[in-house]
mmCIF file of all heavy atoms in Angstrom:
data_model
loop_
_atom_site.group_PDB
_atom_site.id
_atom_site.type_symbol
_atom_site.label_atom_id
_atom_site.label_comp_id
_atom_site.label_asym_id
_atom_site.label_seq_id
_atom_site.Cartn_x
_atom_site.Cartn_y
_atom_site.Cartn_z
ATOM 1 N N LYS U 277 -2.144 11.033 10.055
ATOM 2 C CA LYS U 277 -1.695 12.341 10.557
ATOM 3 C C LYS U 277 -2.525 13.528 9.926
ATOM 4 O O LYS U 277 -2.945 14.417 10.659
ATOM 5 C CB LYS U 277 -0.252 12.548 10.248
ATOM 6 C CG LYS U 277 0.323 13.904 10.766
ATOM 7 C CD LYS U 277 1.806 13.904 10.733
ATOM 8 C CE LYS U 277 2.401 15.265 11.029
ATOM 9 N NZ LYS U 277 1.692 16.111 11.962
ATOM 10 N N ILE U 278 -2.878 13.399 8.676
ATOM 11 C CA ILE U 278 -3.642 14.480 8.014
ATOM 12 C C ILE U 278 -5.019 14.515 8.644
ATOM 13 O O ILE U 278 -5.537 15.634 8.999
ATOM 14 C CB ILE U 278 -3.723 14.268 6.556
ATOM 15 C CG1 ILE U 278 -2.393 14.463 5.826
ATOM 16 C CG2 ILE U 278 -4.754 15.217 5.919
ATOM 17 C CD1 ILE U 278 -2.341 14.036 4.381
ATOM 18 N N LEU U 279 -5.632 13.333 8.826
ATOM 19 C CA LEU U 279 -6.983 13.333 9.373
ATOM 20 C C LEU U 279 -7.032 13.868 10.793
ATOM 21 O O LEU U 279 -7.892 14.661 11.147
ATOM 22 C CB LEU U 279 -7.556 11.898 9.446
ATOM 23 C CG LEU U 279 -8.341 11.449 8.200
ATOM 24 C CD1 LEU U 279 -8.787 10.028 8.430
ATOM 25 C CD2 LEU U 279 -9.533 12.334 7.942
ATOM 26 N N HIS U 280 -5.978 13.554 11.582
ATOM 27 C CA HIS U 280 -5.936 14.084 12.888
ATOM 28 C C HIS U 280 -5.648 15.566 12.908
ATOM 29 O O HIS U 280 -6.406 16.406 13.516
ATOM 30 C CB HIS U 280 -4.810 13.425 13.746
ATOM 31 C CG HIS U 280 -4.592 14.008 15.130
ATOM 32 N ND1 HIS U 280 -3.812 15.110 15.297
ATOM 33 C CD2 HIS U 280 -5.150 13.715 16.277
ATOM 34 C CE1 HIS U 280 -3.836 15.443 16.578
ATOM 35 N NE2 HIS U 280 -4.725 14.593 17.208
ATOM 36 N N ASP U 281 -4.742 16.022 12.114
ATOM 37 C CA ASP U 281 -4.267 17.379 12.219
ATOM 38 C C ASP U 281 -5.354 18.322 11.602
ATOM 39 O O ASP U 281 -5.592 19.420 12.159
ATOM 40 C CB ASP U 281 -2.992 17.602 11.405
ATOM 41 C CG ASP U 281 -1.828 16.924 12.167
ATOM 42 O OD1 ASP U 281 -2.010 16.412 13.288
ATOM 43 O OD2 ASP U 281 -0.693 16.931 11.648
ATOM 44 N N MET U 282 -5.981 17.947 10.512
ATOM 45 C CA MET U 282 -6.998 18.768 9.927
ATOM 46 C C MET U 282 -8.171 18.919 10.812
ATOM 47 O O MET U 282 -8.787 20.014 10.923
ATOM 48 C CB MET U 282 -7.389 18.304 8.496
ATOM 49 C CG MET U 282 -6.301 18.604 7.450
ATOM 50 S SD MET U 282 -7.047 18.259 5.798
ATOM 51 C CE MET U 282 -6.477 19.687 4.900
ATOM 52 N N ASN U 283 -8.612 17.792 11.385
ATOM 53 C CA ASN U 283 -9.770 17.838 12.264
ATOM 54 C C ASN U 283 -9.426 18.668 13.537
ATOM 55 O O ASN U 283 -10.223 19.438 14.070
ATOM 56 C CB ASN U 283 -10.285 16.488 12.643
ATOM 57 C CG ASN U 283 -11.111 15.983 11.523
ATOM 58 O OD1 ASN U 283 -12.307 16.297 11.380
ATOM 59 N ND2 ASN U 283 -10.581 15.056 10.740
ATOM 60 N N LYS U 284 -8.183 18.528 14.022
ATOM 61 C CA LYS U 284 -7.816 19.308 15.198
ATOM 62 C C LYS U 284 -7.853 20.812 14.895
ATOM 63 O O LYS U 284 -8.340 21.610 15.715
ATOM 64 C CB LYS U 284 -6.454 18.883 15.726
ATOM 65 C CG LYS U 284 -6.030 19.658 16.973
ATOM 66 C CD LYS U 284 -4.722 19.289 17.609
ATOM 67 C CE LYS U 284 -4.446 20.144 18.837
ATOM 68 N NZ LYS U 284 -4.459 21.540 18.660
ATOM 69 N N ILE U 285 -7.331 21.185 13.706
ATOM 70 C CA ILE U 285 -7.410 22.576 13.353
ATOM 71 C C ILE U 285 -8.876 23.074 13.354
ATOM 72 O O ILE U 285 -9.199 24.088 13.919
ATOM 73 C CB ILE U 285 -6.781 22.787 11.935
ATOM 74 C CG1 ILE U 285 -5.221 22.554 11.978
ATOM 75 C CG2 ILE U 285 -7.139 24.158 11.325
ATOM 76 C CD1 ILE U 285 -4.595 22.478 10.683
ATOM 77 N N ALA U 286 -9.720 22.268 12.780
ATOM 78 C CA ALA U 286 -11.105 22.669 12.641
ATOM 79 C C ALA U 286 -11.745 22.790 14.099
ATOM 80 O O ALA U 286 -12.489 23.729 14.381
ATOM 81 C CB ALA U 286 -11.888 21.624 11.819
ATOM 82 N N PHE U 287 -11.399 21.830 14.958
ATOM 83 C CA PHE U 287 -12.029 21.862 16.284
ATOM 84 C C PHE U 287 -11.413 23.012 17.171
ATOM 85 O O PHE U 287 -12.100 23.534 18.026
ATOM 86 C CB PHE U 287 -11.922 20.504 17.010
ATOM 87 C CG PHE U 287 -12.645 19.419 16.225
ATOM 88 C CD1 PHE U 287 -12.208 18.091 16.292
ATOM 89 C CD2 PHE U 287 -13.688 19.711 15.401
ATOM 90 C CE1 PHE U 287 -12.829 17.065 15.555
ATOM 91 C CE2 PHE U 287 -14.367 18.681 14.711
ATOM 92 C CZ PHE U 287 -13.885 17.391 14.735
ATOM 93 N N ASP U 288 -10.159 23.340 16.918
ATOM 94 C CA ASP U 288 -9.629 24.509 17.570
ATOM 95 C C ASP U 288 -10.388 25.774 17.137
ATOM 96 O O ASP U 288 -10.715 26.658 17.930
ATOM 97 C CB ASP U 288 -8.145 24.750 17.146
ATOM 98 C CG ASP U 288 -7.200 23.721 17.768
ATOM 99 O OD1 ASP U 288 -7.583 23.002 18.736
ATOM 100 O OD2 ASP U 288 -6.015 23.630 17.347
ATOM 101 N N GLU U 289 -10.745 25.862 15.819
ATOM 102 C CA GLU U 289 -11.512 26.989 15.284
ATOM 103 C C GLU U 289 -12.894 26.961 15.982
ATOM 104 O O GLU U 289 -13.401 28.057 16.380
ATOM 105 C CB GLU U 289 -11.625 26.896 13.793
ATOM 106 C CG GLU U 289 -10.290 27.135 13.088
ATOM 107 C CD GLU U 289 -10.259 26.731 11.598
ATOM 108 O OE1 GLU U 289 -11.156 25.897 11.192
ATOM 109 O OE2 GLU U 289 -9.419 27.226 10.863
ATOM 110 N N ASP U 290 -13.538 25.799 16.107
ATOM 111 C CA ASP U 290 -14.855 25.744 16.733
ATOM 112 C C ASP U 290 -14.709 26.249 18.192
ATOM 113 O O ASP U 290 -15.541 26.932 18.699
ATOM 114 C CB ASP U 290 -15.381 24.283 16.771
ATOM 115 C CG ASP U 290 -15.884 23.835 15.426
ATOM 116 O OD1 ASP U 290 -16.483 24.716 14.743
ATOM 117 O OD2 ASP U 290 -15.735 22.672 15.070
ATOM 118 N N GLN U 291 -13.664 25.776 18.878
ATOM 119 C CA GLN U 291 -13.487 26.154 20.293
ATOM 120 C C GLN U 291 -13.454 27.641 20.484
ATOM 121 O O GLN U 291 -14.060 28.208 21.335
ATOM 122 C CB GLN U 291 -12.229 25.541 20.869
ATOM 123 C CG GLN U 291 -11.934 25.903 22.229
ATOM 124 C CD GLN U 291 -10.832 25.122 22.884
ATOM 125 O OE1 GLN U 291 -10.088 24.392 22.196
ATOM 126 N NE2 GLN U 291 -10.690 25.259 24.186
ATOM 127 N N ALA U 292 -12.700 28.331 19.593
ATOM 128 C CA ALA U 292 -12.639 29.796 19.649
ATOM 129 C C ALA U 292 -14.016 30.407 19.521
ATOM 130 O O ALA U 292 -14.309 31.362 20.196
ATOM 131 C CB ALA U 292 -11.624 30.328 18.667
ATOM 132 N N ILE U 293 -14.729 29.957 18.513
ATOM 133 C CA ILE U 293 -16.084 30.488 18.273
ATOM 134 C C ILE U 293 -17.009 30.234 19.535
ATOM 135 O O ILE U 293 -17.715 31.080 20.058
ATOM 136 C CB ILE U 293 -16.711 29.776 17.059
ATOM 137 C CG1 ILE U 293 -15.936 30.071 15.860
ATOM 138 C CG2 ILE U 293 -18.247 30.139 16.965
ATOM 139 C CD1 ILE U 293 -16.490 31.094 14.914
ATOM 140 N N LEU U 294 -17.016 28.972 19.973
ATOM 141 C CA LEU U 294 -17.926 28.591 21.074
ATOM 142 C C LEU U 294 -17.630 29.344 22.368
ATOM 143 O O LEU U 294 -18.546 29.702 23.089
ATOM 144 C CB LEU U 294 -17.821 27.041 21.294
ATOM 145 C CG LEU U 294 -18.353 26.225 20.168
ATOM 146 C CD1 LEU U 294 -17.728 24.815 20.152
ATOM 147 C CD2 LEU U 294 -19.884 26.153 20.180
ATOM 148 N N GLU U 295 -16.315 29.595 22.683
ATOM 149 C CA GLU U 295 -16.026 30.302 23.891
ATOM 150 C C GLU U 295 -16.412 31.768 23.813
ATOM 151 O O GLU U 295 -16.865 32.346 24.782
ATOM 152 C CB GLU U 295 -14.517 30.033 24.179
ATOM 153 C CG GLU U 295 -14.271 28.589 24.585
ATOM 154 C CD GLU U 295 -12.860 28.317 25.011
ATOM 155 O OE1 GLU U 295 -11.955 29.209 24.925
ATOM 156 O OE2 GLU U 295 -12.636 27.173 25.506
ATOM 157 N N GLU U 296 -16.223 32.329 22.607
ATOM 158 C CA GLU U 296 -16.621 33.747 22.429
ATOM 159 C C GLU U 296 -18.156 33.813 22.443
ATOM 160 O O GLU U 296 -18.721 34.764 23.027
ATOM 161 C CB GLU U 296 -16.113 34.216 21.049
ATOM 162 C CG GLU U 296 -16.269 35.681 20.812
ATOM 163 C CD GLU U 296 -15.570 36.588 21.797
ATOM 164 O OE1 GLU U 296 -14.649 36.092 22.492
ATOM 165 O OE2 GLU U 296 -15.901 37.751 21.901
ATOM 166 N N GLN U 297 -18.809 32.813 21.887
ATOM 167 C CA GLN U 297 -20.253 32.798 21.876
ATOM 168 C C GLN U 297 -20.801 32.729 23.386
ATOM 169 O O GLN U 297 -21.656 33.450 23.735
ATOM 170 C CB GLN U 297 -20.763 31.534 21.138
ATOM 171 C CG GLN U 297 -22.247 31.459 20.898
ATOM 172 C CD GLN U 297 -22.582 30.088 20.233
ATOM 173 O OE1 GLN U 297 -21.740 29.199 20.131
ATOM 174 N NE2 GLN U 297 -23.884 30.019 19.785
ATOM 175 N N GLN U 298 -20.210 31.874 24.126
ATOM 176 C CA GLN U 298 -20.607 31.770 25.553
ATOM 177 C C GLN U 298 -20.406 33.054 26.283
ATOM 178 O O GLN U 298 -21.193 33.464 27.109
ATOM 179 C CB GLN U 298 -19.843 30.627 26.265
ATOM 180 C CG GLN U 298 -20.199 30.378 27.711
ATOM 181 C CD GLN U 298 -21.643 29.754 27.842
ATOM 182 O OE1 GLN U 298 -21.858 28.700 27.312
ATOM 183 N NE2 GLN U 298 -22.566 30.444 28.521
ATOM 184 N N ARG U 299 -19.258 33.682 26.006
ATOM 185 C CA ARG U 299 -18.932 34.949 26.702
ATOM 186 C C ARG U 299 -20.037 36.017 26.341
ATOM 187 O O ARG U 299 -20.500 36.802 27.176
ATOM 188 C CB ARG U 299 -17.571 35.440 26.197
ATOM 189 C CG ARG U 299 -16.764 36.269 27.245
ATOM 190 C CD ARG U 299 -15.368 36.478 26.762
ATOM 191 N NE ARG U 299 -15.231 37.251 25.536
ATOM 192 C CZ ARG U 299 -15.298 38.607 25.450
ATOM 193 N NH1 ARG U 299 -15.505 39.250 26.576
ATOM 194 N NH2 ARG U 299 -15.163 39.230 24.355
ATOM 195 N N MET U 300 -20.414 36.016 25.100
ATOM 196 C CA MET U 300 -21.438 37.008 24.644
ATOM 197 C C MET U 300 -22.785 36.664 25.250
ATOM 198 O O MET U 300 -23.564 37.495 25.662
ATOM 199 C CB MET U 300 -21.555 37.000 23.124
ATOM 200 C CG MET U 300 -20.401 37.665 22.403
ATOM 201 S SD MET U 300 -20.273 39.378 22.853
ATOM 202 C CE MET U 300 -18.624 39.543 23.528
ATOM 203 N N ILE U 301 -23.133 35.368 25.343
ATOM 204 C CA ILE U 301 -24.439 35.012 25.928
ATOM 205 C C ILE U 301 -24.434 35.391 27.436
ATOM 206 O O ILE U 301 -25.384 35.925 27.916
ATOM 207 C CB ILE U 301 -24.635 33.430 25.742
ATOM 208 C CG1 ILE U 301 -24.896 33.107 24.311
ATOM 209 C CG2 ILE U 301 -25.766 32.958 26.700
ATOM 210 C CD1 ILE U 301 -24.890 31.609 23.981
ATOM 211 N N ASP U 302 -23.299 35.117 28.103
ATOM 212 C CA ASP U 302 -23.258 35.447 29.561
ATOM 213 C C ASP U 302 -23.370 36.991 29.793
ATOM 214 O O ASP U 302 -23.906 37.368 30.809
ATOM 215 C CB ASP U 302 -21.938 34.979 30.154
ATOM 216 C CG ASP U 302 -21.885 33.433 30.304
ATOM 217 O OD1 ASP U 302 -22.970 32.811 30.234
ATOM 218 O OD2 ASP U 302 -20.798 32.925 30.488
ATOM 219 N N GLY U 303 -22.901 37.747 28.835
ATOM 220 C CA GLY U 303 -22.909 39.202 29.055
ATOM 221 C C GLY U 303 -24.128 39.865 28.543
ATOM 222 O O GLY U 303 -24.272 41.076 28.550
ATOM 223 N N ASP U 304 -25.129 39.091 28.023
ATOM 224 C CA ASP U 304 -26.280 39.648 27.304
ATOM 225 C C ASP U 304 -27.346 39.945 28.379
ATOM 226 O O ASP U 304 -28.067 39.033 28.802
ATOM 227 C CB ASP U 304 -26.803 38.705 26.254
ATOM 228 C CG ASP U 304 -27.955 39.230 25.510
ATOM 229 O OD1 ASP U 304 -28.409 40.378 25.779
ATOM 230 O OD2 ASP U 304 -28.516 38.499 24.668
ATOM 231 N N ARG U 305 -27.449 41.231 28.770
ATOM 232 C CA ARG U 305 -28.438 41.519 29.779
ATOM 233 C C ARG U 305 -29.866 41.478 29.309
ATOM 234 O O ARG U 305 -30.791 41.445 30.088
ATOM 235 C CB ARG U 305 -28.128 42.912 30.368
ATOM 236 C CG ARG U 305 -26.904 42.858 31.333
ATOM 237 C CD ARG U 305 -26.648 44.200 31.893
ATOM 238 N NE ARG U 305 -26.030 45.037 30.885
ATOM 239 C CZ ARG U 305 -25.803 46.342 31.051
ATOM 240 N NH1 ARG U 305 -26.114 46.943 32.195
ATOM 241 N NH2 ARG U 305 -25.237 47.085 30.083
ATOM 242 N N SER U 306 -30.052 41.377 27.984
ATOM 243 C CA SER U 306 -31.439 41.340 27.472
ATOM 244 C C SER U 306 -32.056 39.928 27.816
ATOM 245 O O SER U 306 -33.282 39.836 27.863
ATOM 246 C CB SER U 306 -31.452 41.566 25.912
ATOM 247 O OG SER U 306 -31.027 40.421 25.270
ATOM 248 N N GLY U 307 -31.225 38.925 27.881
ATOM 249 C CA GLY U 307 -31.727 37.572 28.097
ATOM 250 C C GLY U 307 -32.529 37.051 26.889
ATOM 251 O O GLY U 307 -33.204 36.035 27.035
ATOM 252 N N ALA U 308 -32.410 37.653 25.737
ATOM 253 C CA ALA U 308 -33.134 37.186 24.557
ATOM 254 C C ALA U 308 -32.700 35.784 24.211
ATOM 255 O O ALA U 308 -31.514 35.459 24.305
ATOM 256 C CB ALA U 308 -32.880 38.177 23.402
ATOM 257 N N ALA U 309 -33.639 34.999 23.697
ATOM 258 C CA ALA U 309 -33.322 33.655 23.304
ATOM 259 C C ALA U 309 -32.495 33.632 22.030
ATOM 260 O O ALA U 309 -32.505 34.590 21.318
ATOM 261 C CB ALA U 309 -34.631 32.870 23.060
ATOM 262 N N LEU U 310 -31.745 32.543 21.769
ATOM 263 C CA LEU U 310 -31.051 32.336 20.523
ATOM 264 C C LEU U 310 -32.078 32.226 19.430
ATOM 265 O O LEU U 310 -33.141 31.665 19.610
ATOM 266 C CB LEU U 310 -30.186 31.098 20.574
ATOM 267 C CG LEU U 310 -29.182 30.945 21.717
ATOM 268 C CD1 LEU U 310 -28.596 29.567 21.721
ATOM 269 C CD2 LEU U 310 -28.121 32.001 21.615
ATOM 270 N N ALA U 311 -31.777 32.783 18.244
ATOM 271 C CA ALA U 311 -32.677 32.691 17.077
ATOM 272 C C ALA U 311 -32.459 31.327 16.427
ATOM 273 O O ALA U 311 -31.317 30.858 16.263
ATOM 274 C CB ALA U 311 -32.403 33.805 16.089
ATOM 275 N N SER U 312 -33.618 30.728 16.097
ATOM 276 C CA SER U 312 -33.479 29.394 15.367
ATOM 277 C C SER U 312 -33.940 29.611 13.925
ATOM 278 O O SER U 312 -35.110 29.854 13.702
ATOM 279 C CB SER U 312 -34.343 28.358 16.098
ATOM 280 O OG SER U 312 -33.656 27.793 17.149
ATOM 281 N N LEU U 313 -33.001 29.430 13.007
ATOM 282 C CA LEU U 313 -33.290 29.579 11.559
ATOM 283 C C LEU U 313 -33.377 28.136 10.952
ATOM 284 O O LEU U 313 -33.237 27.151 11.688
ATOM 285 C CB LEU U 313 -32.219 30.439 10.922
ATOM 286 C CG LEU U 313 -32.027 31.773 11.617
ATOM 287 C CD1 LEU U 313 -30.859 32.597 10.922
ATOM 288 C CD2 LEU U 313 -33.321 32.619 11.642
ATOM 289 N N ASP U 314 -33.519 28.075 9.658
ATOM 290 C CA ASP U 314 -33.676 26.754 9.055
ATOM 291 C C ASP U 314 -32.504 25.811 9.367
ATOM 292 O O ASP U 314 -32.647 24.658 9.650
ATOM 293 C CB ASP U 314 -33.772 26.927 7.479
ATOM 294 C CG ASP U 314 -35.064 27.458 7.033
ATOM 295 O OD1 ASP U 314 -35.979 27.673 7.948
ATOM 296 O OD2 ASP U 314 -35.258 27.798 5.850
ATOM 297 N N GLY U 315 -31.262 26.386 9.367
ATOM 298 C CA GLY U 315 -30.096 25.554 9.654
ATOM 299 C C GLY U 315 -30.027 25.037 11.039
ATOM 300 O O GLY U 315 -29.287 24.158 11.373
#
Side-chain angles (χ1 to χ4, degrees):
K277 180 166 170 35
I278 293 171
L279 268 180
H280 176 274
D281 292 355
M282 282 190 137
N283 280 285
K284 181 176 182 308
I285 289 168
F287 300 151
D288 287 346
E289 291 165 339
D290 284 325
Q291 177 170 11
I293 297 256
L294 291 158
E295 293 186 350
E296 187 63 16
Q297 185 186 13
Q298 182 70 59
R299 210 170 66 78
M300 287 297 124
I301 290 170
D302 287 344
D304 181 4
R305 282 181 288 171
S306 78
L310 304 174
S312 274
L313 307 178
D314 287 354

